[in-house]
Amino acid sequence: MARKQGEVMWPRLVANKILRKPLGSNNFVTDFPGNDGPDGLVLEAPSFDQPSSNSTSTIFNRHKDTNTHKYKVFVSTWNVGGVEPQQDMNIKDWIDTSCDIYVFGFQEIVPLKASNVLGSENSSICTKWNSLIREALNKKTHYYSQENLKHDKHDHDGNPIIIESSNNPREFHCIISKQMVGILISVWVRSNIRPFIRHPNVSCVGCGIMGCLGNKGSVSVRFRLHETSFCFVCTHLASGSREGDEKLRNSNVADILSRTSFPRGPLLDLPRKILDHDRVIFLGDLNYRISLPEATTRSLVERREWNTLLKHDQLMMELKEGQVLEGWHEGAIQFAPTYKYCPNSNVYYGCRPANRGEKRRAPAWCDRIIWRGKGLKQHEYGRGTSKLSDHRPVKAIFTAEVGVLRTLKGYHSFFISDRLDKISSQLQVSSTDDFLCKGSTKSRSFKI
């Protein structure tokens, strides 16, 4: 069956390469709030523009005066090495629950073998990851009734009355989830932000075999929140630690930036290219290595001399002196290299005796999150400790400035993050959940 699928796809892939067309469909998976199935069913939807019926800002000139409000954005990337998540896998400690928008990027959610690269995508793995995310984000919580607090209602012991709400304003919905071979990006937002999300779209670019297959490449998603456009690019760039391999990665980035394209929208006022968006975040297994002899790299890693290593980090050098990523930024790295680990171990690959003919790969910060544009401020940049794959997950937390039309002033106090932060201080957690709602924004490491 895999052979037949491959035979059917090859002519189309060659044609797409010649015509420089994006790889794959522009359809994506999304929730339909209010129409979810009993288990929170995720449905398939085309990526044509669908302005929310609850949003009125489309009728106004975007260039009118706006107020600036701040939203908290969680971004993570993880190469899971083709390992399928188990049903009892716990990712709750990975997620900071105080954010408004969550962007989860994965690479190699399926093994990068020929049947997966050439054949149809295995959506069941994507569904498993989204189910884990949904469960982690929407863990049952209690919160204080605003009415009870206003009237100062208490029980017989003098404690404020706590009620469980069926319309939790902290509930999250998936607005976009898109897979291309092993790359998966899934974007979730709070339910009370959802009405102000408009024009969600996806664009896939394959940079793998023949320069067009999806074993390497990117899945980009974009949307507009109020009057500010966001673009998140989940990538898996060319691998290799030989001298000159970094040029292949730079070429992949240039290809992604040039070939990624979004619809202009019904009013022809939406950004078409990645760099045209207001807030842009690039995440993934970028595969940049350390340009030092392997023995030197391992010695510096053992001594935890990160600053010395980072002076020779290929991505750092590209950000400072290169042309492809000019104008991009990355937060301070204060954590150990994320690649490559022995299976189910904290020992770097190559530290143990290798089998004959087996490649020795020096440690490197392959998994990165960078950004471009004003209005983004990073507060946290750290890595996880999961031993699921030979990579460690990486996450970052940002504050994003968003323009909101003054016309909607009467609704601002409810929808902005400052208001949600006040509500979160009144949250109470069920004793059976064993789950904390408060998260530190200063921690540099996390568990999963």
Side-chain angles (χ1 to χ4, degrees):
M1 184 64 181
R3 182 181 177 184
K4 291 182 179 179
Q5 290 172 334
E7 290 173 350
V8 171
M9 287 189 68
W10 270 110
R12 181 165 62 88
L13 290 168
V14 173
N16 285 348
K17 174 62 177 176
I18 295 172
L19 298 174
R20 296 183 64 80
K21 287 186 177 181
L23 179 69
S25 166
N26 287 332
N27 290 350
F28 57 87
V29 174
T30 181
D31 284 351
F32 287 91
N35 295 317
D36 290 350
D39 298 320
L41 182 63
V42 180
L43 302 176
E44 183 82 11
S47 63
F48 52 76
D49 296 307
Q50 297 178 352
S52 169
S53 60
N54 295 323
S55 176
T56 59
S57 58
T58 55
I59 65 175
F60 299 108
N61 187 328
R62 185 169 181 242
H63 299 288
K64 284 187 176 181
D65 289 343
T66 59
N67 288 329
T68 299
H69 295 294
K70 295 180 179 180
Y71 289 84
K72 203 170 176 182
V73 182
F74 173 100
V75 180
S76 69
T77 178
W78 193 7
N79 185 323
V80 295
V83 180
E84 186 174 334
Q86 299 302 310
Q87 191 171 10
D88 59 350
M89 184 177 178
N90 183 3
I91 65 171
K92 298 179 182 67
D93 291 339
W94 181 21
I95 300 173
D96 185 312
T97 57
S98 66
C99 297
D100 305 299
I101 301 170
Y102 289 82
V103 180
F104 298 90
F106 298 92
Q107 302 81 42
E108 296 189 42
I109 64 167
V110 296
L112 299 183
K113 56 186 180 181
S115 59
N116 287 329
V117 176
L118 295 174
S120 58
E121 289 164 353
N122 184 352
S123 61
S124 64
I125 306 299
C126 172
T127 301
K128 288 183 179 181
W129 281 111
N130 278 326
S131 296
L132 287 171
I133 294 169
R134 184 187 301 280
E135 181 182 357
L137 288 176
N138 291 328
K139 183 73 173 176
K140 186 189 299 182
T141 60
H142 292 78
Y143 71 99
Y144 289 110
S145 163
Q146 293 299 300
E147 182 180 355
N148 287 342
L149 291 172
K150 181 177 180 180
H151 293 90
D152 198 26
K153 295 184 179 180
H154 294 76
D155 60 20
H156 294 296
D157 296 326
N159 300 315
I161 297 175
I162 300 172
I163 65 169
E164 183 175 356
S165 172
S166 59
N167 297 312
N168 191 345
R170 297 179 66 86
E171 185 179 17
F172 290 90
H173 291 286
C174 178
I175 60 168
I176 301 176
S177 177
K178 179 64 176 178
Q179 176 187 357
M180 180 186 74
V181 188
I183 301 174
L184 167 66
I185 185 168
S186 189
V187 183
W188 299 67
V189 301
R190 292 191 186 277
S191 58
N192 50 13
I193 295 175
R194 172 62 185 89
F196 299 98
I197 298 285
R198 292 173 289 128
H199 311 300
N201 294 106
V202 301
S203 180
C204 300
V205 172
C207 299
I209 302 169
M210 292 182 59
C212 66
L213 290 186
N215 57 307
K216 294 293 190 293
S218 67
V219 179
S220 301
V221 304
R222 76 92 177 271
F223 58 87
R224 181 179 284 176
L225 172 58
H226 288 294
E227 300 307 306
T228 300
S229 61
F230 285 80
C231 184
F232 298 93
V233 185
C234 183
T235 61
H236 193 184
L237 304 184
S239 60
S241 55
R242 295 173 299 182
E243 184 177 354
D245 283 344
E246 69 276 10
K247 295 179 181 178
L248 295 176
R249 294 183 269 277
N250 292 343
S251 177
N252 285 170
V253 173
D255 219 16
I256 289 167
L257 293 177
S258 66
R259 290 169 55 193
T260 300
S261 181
F262 299 100
R264 290 285 290 162
L267 301 180
L268 301 180
D269 63 339
L270 297 177
R272 190 169 183 81
K273 309 301 289 183
I274 290 174
L275 300 184
D276 294 336
H277 291 78
D278 300 318
R279 314 284 181 260
V280 183
I281 297 180
F282 210 85
L283 58 133
D285 179 1
L286 307 190
N287 256 322
Y288 285 97
R289 309 302 171 92
I290 298 169
S291 295
L292 285 173
E294 180 186 334
T296 304
T297 299
R298 292 189 185 278
S299 176
L300 291 170
V301 168
E302 288 179 4
R303 300 200 300 269
R304 301 180 67 85
E305 296 186 17
W306 310 145
N307 291 337
T308 303
L309 285 165
L310 288 167
K311 290 178 182 178
H312 302 274
D313 177 81
Q314 294 172 351
L315 179 57
M316 284 287 188
M317 291 188 285
E318 180 62 32
L319 290 172
K320 291 179 180 179
E321 304 172 5
Q323 297 179 352
V324 176
L325 291 171
E326 182 180 2
W328 291 79
H329 308 281
E330 184 179 26
I333 293 179
Q334 300 178 1
F335 50 86
T338 59
Y339 174 85
K340 172 181 170 82
Y341 285 91
C342 294
N344 196 31
S345 169
N346 285 324
V347 177
Y348 284 108
Y349 194 81
C351 294
R352 296 171 176 171
N355 297 326
R356 187 175 181 179
E358 198 172 29
K359 293 182 179 179
R360 292 171 59 89
R361 295 178 174 88
W365 285 280
C366 289
D367 309 275
R368 312 286 275 270
I369 299 171
I370 60 177
W371 75 92
R372 181 185 174 95
K374 298 179 180 179
L376 284 171
K377 182 178 180 181
Q378 191 182 79
H379 300 280
E380 180 180 341
Y381 195 26
R383 52 158 265 177
T385 59
S386 172
K387 302 174 185 176
L388 181 71
S389 75
D390 53 357
H391 290 252
R392 297 296 182 259
V394 170
K395 75 173 180 180
I397 295 178
F398 297 87
T399 295
E401 294 181 357
V402 173
V404 182
L405 286 171
R406 295 184 189 276
T407 311
L408 301 177
K409 186 175 181 180
Y411 300 94
H412 291 171
S413 63
F414 184 77
F415 288 100
I416 62 174
S417 296
D418 291 343
R419 178 63 171 169
L420 292 171
D421 289 341
K422 293 177 182 178
I423 295 175
S424 67
S425 66
Q426 300 162 355
L427 285 172
Q428 294 293 315
V429 183
S430 170
S431 59
T432 60
D433 291 336
D434 190 25
F435 182 69
L436 295 178
C437 288
K438 295 181 179 180
S440 171
T441 60
K442 297 182 179 179
S443 173
R444 290 287 178 181
S445 63
F446 52 100
K447 295 181 179 180
I448 176 172

